[in-house]
């Protein structure tokens, strides 16, 4: 089965992960800009990072026949440095023109401070101005419900197209409000701290799947790129067809990401002879 | 052995995850019952889980042997 990893921090992972993903059917990964584990001090550090994920990383993925795309943003955790944020935002449009850059992300909230909110608004404004997709991070653990509510309130006050916005890391307590507001919702499957593969399938069975995306977890912390395949196995084990699985784990990413013409992977229909 | 606070801080998130999995299983069962219009013929495993949670949430456990108690409890269900 062909699989797309919509949210994958490749620079934190090994070539062996690419190789194993290729062997398991992954045909494309999308790398949002991420927090490095420490707060970066210089705009130039971001510019080099954006160059890494828009120029170098596609060549590393291509070694294994995997397409690599990226997103650019200042991470919410670094939004407290307002001067740095403004300077990076000033450089972002040049990266949005890169042939594999799909949009602005991951922006969003971490502790839902005013500086984070201002940064989120500025990111969304740039995205809308340049007709880009937006990937929005929602907070972890006990901050999630409040942070997601705040994200929705911020977006409600802006002139945005919900079709082009993906709100990520939803769980059972936040998914309904995101879908009801008309946005795409992403589940991120972590070994411990976020949604699990089994719970993701529960959510897929409970809600309309038209605007749902499923991501593995792939970063420098405790994470596992193959939680996505675990979700697929669980989905199939519950009796859902191969085409239904393809719709969720391949075609839904194609439908959302395909709003950007740079994404040229098309939805698949399985034909039996 | 870890100190008390360190013990909680080290294992809290994993225990949180495991409890969420149990909650998800119970929700999954309820949704299946609602969809199928009937309960499982044998609900002894469901009842065993619910009883196990009562055992965990109940009172003091001076011998710190909850795990042993649960294993003995689960041994009653095939």
């Amino acid at each position: 089965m062909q699989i797309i990893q919509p949210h994958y921090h490749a620079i934190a992972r090994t070539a062996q992960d690419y190789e194993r993903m290729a062997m398991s059917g992954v045909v494309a990964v999308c790398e949002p800009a991420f927090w490095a584990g420490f707060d970066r001090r210089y705009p130039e550090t971001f510019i080099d990072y954006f160059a890494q994920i828009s120029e170098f990383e596609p060549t590393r993925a291509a070694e294994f026949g995997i397409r690599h795309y990226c997103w650019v943003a200042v991470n919410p955790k670094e939004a407290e440095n307002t001067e740095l944020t403004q300077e990076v935002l000033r450089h972002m449009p040049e990266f949005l023109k890169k042939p594999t850059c799909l949009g602005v992300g991951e922006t969003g909230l971490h502790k839902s401070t005013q500086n984070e909110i201002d940064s989120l608004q500025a990111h969304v404004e740039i995205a809308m101005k340049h007709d880009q997709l937006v990937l929005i991070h929602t907070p972890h653990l006990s901050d999630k419900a409040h942070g997601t509510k705040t994200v929705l309130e911020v977006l409600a006050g802006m002139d945005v197209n919900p079709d082009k916005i993906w709100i990520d890391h939803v769980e059972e307590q936040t998914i309904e409000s995101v879908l009801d507001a008309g946005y795409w919702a992403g589940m991120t499957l972590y070994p411990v701290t976020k949604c699990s593969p089994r719970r993701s399938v529960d959510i897929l069975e409970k809600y309309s799947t038209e605007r749902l995306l499923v991501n593995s977890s792939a970063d420098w912390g405790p994470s596992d790129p193959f939680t996505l395949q675990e979700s697929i196995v669980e989905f199939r084990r519950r009796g859902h067809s191969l085409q239904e699985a393809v719709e969720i784990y391949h075609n839904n990413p194609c439908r959302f990401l395909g709003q950007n013409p740079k994404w040229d992977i098309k939805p698949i229909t399985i034909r039996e002879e | 052995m870890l100190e008390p606070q360190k013990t909680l801080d080290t294992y809290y998130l994993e225990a949180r995850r495991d409890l969420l999995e149990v909650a998800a299983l119970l929700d999954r069962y309820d949704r299946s019952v609602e969809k199928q219009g009937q309960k499982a013929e044998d609900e002894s495993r469901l009842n065993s889980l619910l009883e196990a949670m009562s055992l965990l949430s109940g009172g003091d456990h001076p011998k710190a042997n909850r795990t042993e108690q649960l294993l003995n409890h689960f041994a009653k269900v095939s």
Side-chain angles (χ1 to χ4, degrees):
Chain A
M1 177 179 153
Q2 295 192 22
I3 303 165
I4 290 165
Q5 290 266 27
H7 188 142
Y8 188 86
H9 299 294
I11 71 161
R13 310 297 305 192
T14 64
Q16 189 181 41
D17 280 345
Y18 272 133
E19 183 180 31
R20 288 177 176 170
M21 284 196 300
M23 289 192 289
S24 74
V26 171
V27 295
V29 302
C30 306
E31 178 155 17
F34 188 47
W35 189 55
F38 64 98
D39 291 342
R40 288 160 281 203
R41 291 176 290 175
Y42 311 107
E44 291 82 0
T45 314
F46 278 86
I47 290 166
D48 280 345
Y49 173 45
F50 294 164
Q52 181 181 13
I53 61 177
S54 64
E55 296 168 12
F56 172 67
E57 201 58 37
T59 67
R60 209 162 72 98
E63 291 287 322
F64 303 93
I66 293 176
R67 305 280 297 277
H68 179 284
Y69 295 87
C70 71
W71 303 70
V72 290
V74 178
N75 194 269
K77 288 187 179 183
E78 289 159 312
E80 295 307 324
N81 187 339
T82 56
E83 194 177 330
L84 176 133
T85 300
Q86 287 305 318
E87 189 59 18
V88 177
L89 283 167
R90 199 171 66 78
H91 284 278
M92 270 178 37
E94 67 191 80
F95 287 96
L96 295 174
K97 294 175 189 164
K98 294 280 186 182
T100 55
C101 184
L102 296 173
V104 174
E106 53 188 309
T107 179
L109 299 179
H110 175 56
K111 293 290 185 188
S112 303
T113 66
Q114 189 57 52
N115 283 336
E116 290 180 19
I117 290 169
D118 292 344
S119 175
L120 168 62
Q121 285 176 320
H123 278 80
V124 174
E125 280 169 6
I126 281 190
M128 293 301 121
K129 181 179 174 185
H130 294 270
D131 195 25
Q132 296 289 314
L133 299 171
V134 190
L135 167 51
I136 298 180
H137 167 96
T138 54
H140 306 274
L141 301 170
S142 54
D143 296 314
K144 183 173 292 296
H146 172 253
T148 304
K149 182 170 176 281
T150 306
V151 165
L152 293 173
E153 287 169 355
V154 168
L155 293 174
M158 301 182 73
D159 182 19
V160 298
N161 177 359
D163 292 341
K164 295 202 162 191
I165 295 179
W166 155 18
I167 298 179
D168 213 9
H169 317 318
V170 299
E171 290 182 287
E172 288 86 344
Q173 78 278 42
T174 57
I175 184 170
E176 214 160 293
S177 58
V178 171
L179 292 178
D180 285 351
Y183 301 106
W184 284 75
M187 294 178 268
T188 313
L189 313 183
Y190 269 83
V192 176
T193 51
K194 289 187 182 130
C195 197
S196 71
R198 285 180 183 165
R199 286 168 53 207
S200 73
V201 178
D202 292 335
I203 289 171
L204 290 168
E205 289 180 331
K206 187 174 178 183
Y207 295 95
S208 166
T209 57
E210 283 175 15
R211 285 181 181 238
L212 285 180
L213 300 167
V214 189
N215 320 311
S216 70
S217 50
D219 54 50
W220 45 259
S223 53
D224 180 358
F226 289 88
T227 49
L228 185 60
Q229 285 80 344
E230 279 184 56
S231 175
I232 295 169
V233 170
E234 177 69 15
F235 186 76
R236 295 280 283 138
R237 187 170 77 158
R238 295 193 197 179
H240 300 290
S241 71
L242 184 57
Q243 183 64 49
E244 287 173 315
V246 168
E247 292 298 334
I248 290 162
Y249 300 97
H250 182 277
N251 293 352
N252 271 4
C254 289
R255 292 184 187 104
F256 177 75
L257 301 168
Q259 294 180 87
N260 186 322
K262 295 175 197 169
W263 179 272
D264 59 1
I265 303 173
K266 303 298 181 194
I268 294 170
T269 301
I270 297 168
R271 194 183 69 186
E272 293 183 6
E273 294 187 359
Chain B
M1 183 177 284
L2 295 175
E3 294 174 358
Q5 189 61 54
K6 186 73 174 170
T7 300
L8 286 179
D9 293 348
T10 301
Y11 300 109
Y12 170 75
L13 285 175
E14 290 177 12
R16 173 187 182 274
R17 172 202 58 196
D18 296 343
L19 283 172
L20 286 170
E21 289 298 321
V22 174
L25 163 61
L26 298 176
D27 288 345
R28 197 176 303 142
Y29 176 71
D30 286 349
R31 280 196 298 272
S32 177
V33 169
E34 187 181 352
K35 185 174 180 184
Q36 301 296 327
Q38 59 181 22
K39 294 181 177 179
E41 288 176 21
D42 177 2
E43 283 194 314
S44 57
R45 288 184 167 174
L46 171 67
N47 293 327
S48 174
L49 290 172
L50 296 174
E51 288 162 13
M53 285 183 277
S54 294
L55 193 152
L56 288 180
S57 63
D60 291 336
H61 293 266
K63 292 184 179 176
N65 66 344
R66 294 173 184 80
T67 313
E68 180 186 340
Q69 289 184 56
L70 278 195
L71 286 168
N72 288 330
H73 169 75
F74 287 136
K76 298 173 198 163
V77 178
S78 58

